[in-house]
Amino acid sequence: MSGKNWRIGVAGLGTVGGGLLNFLSDRPGFAPAGGQAVVTGVSARSRSRPRPFDISNLAWFDDPVELAKSPDNDIFVELIGGSDGPAKAAVEAALHAGKPVVTANKALIAEHGAELALLAETKGVPLLYEAAVMGGTPAVKVVREAMVGDDIRSISGILNGTCNYILTEMEGMLGQQGPADAFRAVLAEAQRLGYAEADPTMDVGGFDAAHKISILAALAFGCAPNYAAAEIEGIEQVALLDIQLAKDLGYRIKLIASASRSDEGVLVRVHPTLVALNHPLAQAGGALNALFIEGTRIGTIYLQGPGAGAGPTAAAVAADIADLMTGAVRPVFQKPAGQLNPFTPVDPAKSMGRAFLRFLVKDEPGVIAAVSETLAEAGVSIESFLQKPVENADGVPIVLTTHAVAESVLTAAIDRIANLPSVLERPRLLRIARI
Amino acid sequence: MSGKNWRIGVAGLGTVGGGLLNFLSDRPGFAPAGGQAVVTGVSARSRSRPRPFDISNLAWFDDPVELAKSPDNDIFVELIGGSDGPAKAAVEAALHAGKPVVTANKALIAEHGAELALLAETKGVPLLYEAAVMGGTPAVKVVREAMVGDDIRSISGILNGTCNYILTEMEGMLGQQGPADAFRAVLAEAQRLGYAEADPTMDVGGFDAAHKISILAALAFGCAPNYAAAEIEGIEQVALLDIQLAKDLGYRIKLIASASRSDEGVLVRVHPTLVALNHPLAQAGGALNALFIEGTRIGTIYLQGPGAGAGPTAAAVAADIADLMTGAVRPVFQKPAGQLNPFTPVDPAKSMGRAFLRFLVKDEPGVIAAVSETLAEAGVSIESFLQKPVENADGVPIVLTTHAVAESVLTAAIDRIANLPSVLERPRLLRIARI
């Protein structure tokens, strides 16, 4: 409980930066471990832009790298964003100067985490990033610190609130006379409400969730983050019909980010996934984030909460600042940077799992027989089958779920089915969660 | 990342102590922050008792206080249990000797936390107790560290796995021709399976959950734990009929421990509570523990996992040991012991809430009118009402739920209803969760 005062430099004054300044001015004595935290300098793109908080008493830096190097602050908080450019340059400058860093930047940690960890640990300073994953919900702390006495087998969760919001809203449209492209309609409304960015690619394409699960995989399995090895599919192709048919079969479609470890290596994936309706992950709706952690000793931990927003994310940054104030020094990932396990990616084609397949077929005799024979010949075993009458459709949708099958076997079967004359379009494949 | 080796003394070699020794021998290099943790000395009641792990290479201490004082270990781990006696004496001795302490002892922290915190902080050494609440699920860490940048309004959860197991099993008996006293029957089976102690009072009486919520209240609200102020009701009086009628009304009965803060002060309660079936807490079945944390900035965090067992609890102790190895120094509760807020208990009689009331009445005209008139005169407003036909009963059970009402108004109304000639026994009151 030192009486030390910590002077903080904040680079980036958007939603989270503003939330942090508001928080620290609301709680002037913020000092969970004694001492006091006070913002002394800031940097952002525009000094004069109108803001709902006052920066006139703070030292201004046009260049975040200069703020990071400045001897007038003891902690550098990076809230600029982006995997490269000024964010990376400023974090590196702060670490080089022997200054602890707090960042909310998932892209930076997922893509350059190993080298930054080495730099931070060489300099003996913490690099913390709680706000990078699940915003205000302490996923990083739970995996890094609470599960440190466990051997984690797998992690899976809902790590992107925008996608979860869109999928939840799409489900709400079932049974209504909705627009032809439900995804685009809901996305446009989410953009209008500020729940989705003007360029939504990072979110709806699954890239944001992939950054986050890459970070959690590093913490869980003691390897360097390897974003490049993540297999990524977004939610752009999820149709209302998929959501309806999944529900009829007892599932809800969620964008699930997962990381699992086996003797072969590590598999990190993001894709739309069918989750059984009674599973907690299926019940986390709207913009919620949720995480399921399976360990060999502890068993299963489930964590759910807000994944974004000024209040929650700023609170996560503040929690990291509080951690710094305790004097704790931990490895940036599970182990010291020089001892991290090699990240050996597992070939997704070899991974086993259950699948949901949707076909659009001609309404004529023998179609179902042809599809099921093709699957049987390929070695894919059908678990359930559903055909619903559809009015005025170009074809008849049929859907089936399979028993566990290797992904390579499944895609080979799909290729053959796609070529059947009675099948009108390439079958739609969605995975069913193992959890 | 110091290379320091930490020598650990472990007092208490029961389930958790054995789990810890097994863990540290499975993971000889356990050193999340560098260095190494190695057990050097142990103490327990009997040295010669057969154990599934080897202690022959470890220094033996008949007296845990001597182990706590010994210069041959750097960390003292207390797994003896009990709020007083040798556990307290040994923890005090270790702290007096300037030695960090890790304990799983909820009774000790809940009943003597304030004085131990003062001693630990005077000596400048950490006192950690993650395993005291929710076993392997990091409730303490989440409330103490992750929510430190938030103002928590309330915490509620399922903190006793034995009670949750019993209530889940009782619900499984619905519709069967079960024993007259379902609670006693399930308890006896739980004892046979090792899920309940030979003397189950601490668990089924709600006292264990009250210890845990008292600790979480201290962490959440920055006050000293005040176990004596907790209002406690166990599950002994929960009848199968209550479980059935609650379910008919859309609720599940859980033993909920809650702590809430208002301008008047802090209210800490443990009682059987009706939780809406679609709420996550209603869906945490069996021996699971679960916690709902409501903050003003972050919003709501939900955490679920195992609350007991050798593996999970030992992993929580190991996580605390890892925290010590980082060099972190935090207050034992939310704030330094000398600055904790006074714990001002709120009079439960003034607390507002919805209620479930079950009556056994004579099967004769005018009974329902008499009951509802009495409630109306007392100022209690009925929300829903249910009467089900029951065969061969001594009377007819009726059940109703009320709108929010002050507890004092409600109990006064119950007193009057109990005296009505057509009411055969004192009405049964269960609270409905606010969450």
Side-chain angles (χ1 to χ4, degrees):
Chain A
M1 258 64 69
S2 87
K4 180 173 174 180
N5 286 338
W6 295 84
R7 300 163 306 160
I8 301 173
V10 179
L13 295 176
T15 309
V16 181
L20 180 65
L21 264 58
N22 276 332
F23 171 78
L24 289 171
S25 73
D26 285 0
R27 293 261 293 257
F30 182 64
Q36 193 170 342
V38 58
V39 176
T40 52
V42 293
S43 175
R45 260 180 301 207
S46 158
R47 184 173 191 172
S48 57
R49 179 183 152 186
R51 294 188 168 91
F53 46 90
D54 183 20
I55 58 168
S56 61
N57 291 327
L58 305 175
W60 174 266
F61 292 78
D62 285 319
D63 181 356
V65 172
E66 294 306 314
L67 175 64
K69 285 182 187 169
S70 166
D72 295 340
N73 57 72
D74 313 297
I75 296 175
F76 180 65
V77 178
E78 184 275 303
L79 303 171
I80 301 166
S83 60
D84 294 272
K88 180 161 185 268
V91 166
E92 285 172 341
L95 294 175
H96 270 297
K99 197 180 284 186
V101 170
V102 174
T103 176
N105 190 331
K106 58 218 76 164
L108 177 68
I109 299 295
E111 299 186 31
H112 303 294
E115 59 178 288
L116 293 174
L118 204 57
L119 176 56
E121 293 172 23
T122 303
K123 293 288 179 175
V125 291
L127 166 59
L128 298 177
Y129 48 88
E130 181 60 69
V133 183
M134 290 179 79
T137 309
V140 170
K141 184 174 274 288
V142 167
V143 177
R144 182 180 58 208
E145 300 171 26
M147 308 286 282
V148 75
D150 203 353
D151 299 295
I152 298 177
R153 274 190 300 240
S154 72
I155 297 190
S156 41
I158 297 166
L159 300 182
N160 183 278
T162 303
C163 288
N164 207 43
Y165 172 83
I166 290 174
L167 291 173
T168 304
E169 291 294 304
M170 284 175 72
E171 186 178 339
M173 294 166 74
L174 291 181
Q176 296 170 22
Q177 193 63 37
D181 188 338
F183 168 75
R184 297 284 151 202
V186 172
L187 173 60
E189 178 67 5
Q191 286 171 317
R192 202 184 61 77
L193 294 168
Y195 296 161
E197 309 264 351
D199 177 356
T201 313
M202 285 299 289
D203 290 319
V204 302
F207 306 104
D208 173 83
H211 279 136
K212 294 167 178 168
I213 193 69
S214 298
I215 294 172
L216 293 179
L219 286 164
F221 307 139
C223 52
N226 189 345
Y227 174 68
E231 196 206 356
I232 308 170
E233 180 185 334
I235 62 166
E236 302 96 328
Q237 303 303 321
V238 176
L240 213 49
L241 183 59
D242 295 317
I243 294 175
Q244 176 67 64
L245 293 169
K247 198 171 183 180
D248 292 336
L249 292 167
Y251 297 95
R252 184 163 284 138
I253 298 178
K254 294 287 190 183
L255 184 71
I256 299 293
S258 67
S260 56
R261 190 189 54 170
S262 66
D263 291 341
E264 284 79 51
V266 173
L267 181 59
V268 174
R269 311 178 94 172
V270 175
H271 48 60
T273 306
L274 273 68
V275 182
L277 286 171
N278 63 358
H279 191 280
L281 284 178
Q283 294 173 41
L288 275 179
N289 277 209
L291 191 67
F292 216 75
I293 311 166
E294 288 183 282
T296 52
R297 294 168 191 277
I298 292 180
T300 300
I301 301 277
Y302 179 71
L303 179 64
Q304 178 183 301
T313 310
V317 173
D320 275 351
I321 292 172
D323 270 0
L324 289 180
M325 293 164 86
T326 69
V329 181
R330 292 178 187 272
V332 173
F333 298 106
Q334 192 204 68
K335 299 177 177 187
Q339 300 166 25
L340 288 168
N341 302 329
F343 183 109
T344 311
V346 172
D347 181 1
K350 290 186 183 159
S351 76
M352 298 286 291
R354 292 161 60 223
F356 164 104
L357 292 174
R358 174 166 63 82
F359 309 86
L360 193 66
V361 298
K362 288 182 192 160
D363 192 5
E364 61 186 28
V367 176
I368 290 171
V371 167
S372 45
E373 264 169 41
T374 310
L375 286 168
E377 281 163 22
V380 179
S381 172
I382 296 174
E383 184 196 52
S384 69
F385 184 94
L386 178 68
Q387 177 180 344
K388 289 180 81 170
V390 175
E391 285 171 34
N392 300 326
D394 298 330
V396 178
I398 59 174
V399 65
L400 55 85
T401 62
T402 73
H403 287 290
V405 57
E407 184 118 346
S408 56
V409 172
L410 190 66
T411 45
I414 291 173
D415 289 342
R416 291 172 61 182
I417 290 171
N419 289 328
L420 292 176
S422 51
V423 171
L424 297 169
E425 61 180 27
R426 187 172 171 81
R428 171 83 176 127
L429 161 65
L430 291 166
R431 284 85 175 182
I432 301 176
R434 283 157 221 229
I435 40 172
Chain B
M1 258 63 69
S2 89
K4 181 173 174 179
N5 287 339
W6 296 82
R7 300 164 306 161
I8 302 175
V10 179
L13 294 176
T15 309
V16 182
L20 181 64
L21 264 58
N22 276 333
F23 171 77
L24 290 172
S25 72
D26 285 0
R27 293 261 293 257
F30 182 65
Q36 193 169 343
V38 57
V39 176
T40 51
V42 293
S43 174
R45 262 180 299 205
S46 158
R47 184 174 191 173
S48 56
R49 179 182 154 188
R51 295 188 167 91
F53 47 90
D54 183 22
I55 58 168
S56 62
N57 291 327
L58 305 174
W60 174 267
F61 292 79
D62 285 320
D63 181 356
V65 171
E66 293 307 314
L67 176 64
K69 285 180 186 169
S70 166
D72 295 340
N73 58 70
D74 313 299
I75 296 176
F76 179 65
V77 178
E78 185 275 303
L79 303 171
I80 302 167
S83 60
D84 293 273
K88 180 161 184 268
V91 167
E92 286 172 342
L95 295 175
H96 270 296
K99 196 179 285 186
V101 171
V102 174
T103 177
N105 191 331
K106 57 218 79 165
L108 177 69
I109 299 296
E111 298 187 32
H112 303 294
E115 57 178 288
L116 294 174
L118 205 54
L119 175 57
E121 292 172 24
T122 304
K123 294 289 180 175
V125 290
L127 167 59
L128 298 178
Y129 48 89
E130 181 62 67
V133 183
M134 290 179 79
T137 309
V140 169
K141 184 173 275 288
V142 167
V143 177
R144 182 181 58 209
E145 300 170 25
M147 307 286 282
V148 74
D150 202 355
D151 299 295
I152 298 178
R153 274 190 299 239
S154 73
I155 295 191
S156 41
I158 297 167
L159 300 182
N160 183 277
T162 303
C163 288
N164 207 42
Y165 172 82
I166 291 173
L167 292 172
T168 304
E169 291 294 304
M170 285 175 72
E171 186 177 339
M173 295 166 72
L174 291 180
Q176 297 168 20
Q177 194 63 37
D181 188 338
F183 168 74
R184 297 283 152 202
V186 172
L187 173 59
E189 178 68 5
Q191 286 170 318
R192 200 183 64 76
L193 294 169
Y195 296 163
E197 309 264 352
D199 177 357
T201 313
M202 286 299 289
D203 290 321
V204 301
F207 307 105
D208 173 82
H211 280 136
K212 294 166 177 168
I213 193 69
S214 298
I215 293 171
L216 293 179
L219 285 165
F221 307 139
C223 52
N226 188 345
Y227 175 67
E231 197 206 356
I232 308 171
E233 181 185 333
I235 62 166
E236 302 96 327
Q237 304 302 319
V238 175
L240 213 50
L241 183 60
D242 294 319
I243 294 175
Q244 176 67 64
L245 294 169
K247 198 170 182 182
D248 292 337
L249 292 166
Y251 296 97
R252 184 162 285 139
I253 298 179
K254 294 288 188 183
L255 185 71
I256 299 292
S258 67
S260 57
R261 191 189 55 172
S262 65
D263 291 342
E264 284 80 48
V266 174
L267 180 59
V268 174
R269 312 178 93 174
V270 175
H271 48 59
T273 306
L274 274 68
V275 182
L277 286 171
N278 64 357
H279 191 281
L281 285 177
Q283 295 174 39
L288 276 179
N289 277 209
L291 192 67
F292 216 76
I293 311 166
E294 288 183 282
T296 51
R297 292 169 193 276
I298 292 180
T300 300
I301 300 278
Y302 179 71
L303 180 64
Q304 178 183 301
T313 311
V317 173
D320 275 352
I321 292 172
D323 270 0
L324 289 180
M325 293 164 84
T326 68
V329 180
R330 292 178 186 274
V332 174
F333 298 106
Q334 192 203 68
K335 298 178 178 186
Q339 300 168 26
L340 289 168
N341 301 328
F343 183 110
T344 311
V346 172
D347 181 0
K350 290 185 182 159
S351 76
M352 298 287 290
R354 293 161 59 221
F356 163 104
L357 293 174
R358 176 167 61 83
F359 308 85
L360 192 68
V361 298
K362 290 184 191 159
D363 192 6
E364 61 185 28
V367 177
I368 289 171
V371 167
S372 48
E373 264 170 39
T374 310
L375 286 168
E377 280 165 19
V380 178
S381 173
I382 296 174
E383 184 196 51
S384 70
F385 183 94
L386 178 68
Q387 178 181 343
K388 288 181 82 171
V390 176
E391 285 172 33
N392 300 327
D394 298 330
V396 177
I398 58 174
V399 65
L400 56 84
T401 62
T402 73
H403 286 290
V405 56
E407 184 117 347
S408 57
V409 171
L410 190 65
T411 45
I414 291 172
D415 289 342
R416 291 172 62 183
I417 289 170
N419 289 328
L420 292 176
S422 50
V423 171
L424 296 170
E425 60 180 28
R426 187 171 171 82
R428 171 83 177 125
L429 162 65
L430 290 166
R431 283 87 175 181
I432 300 175
R434 283 158 220 227
I435 43 173

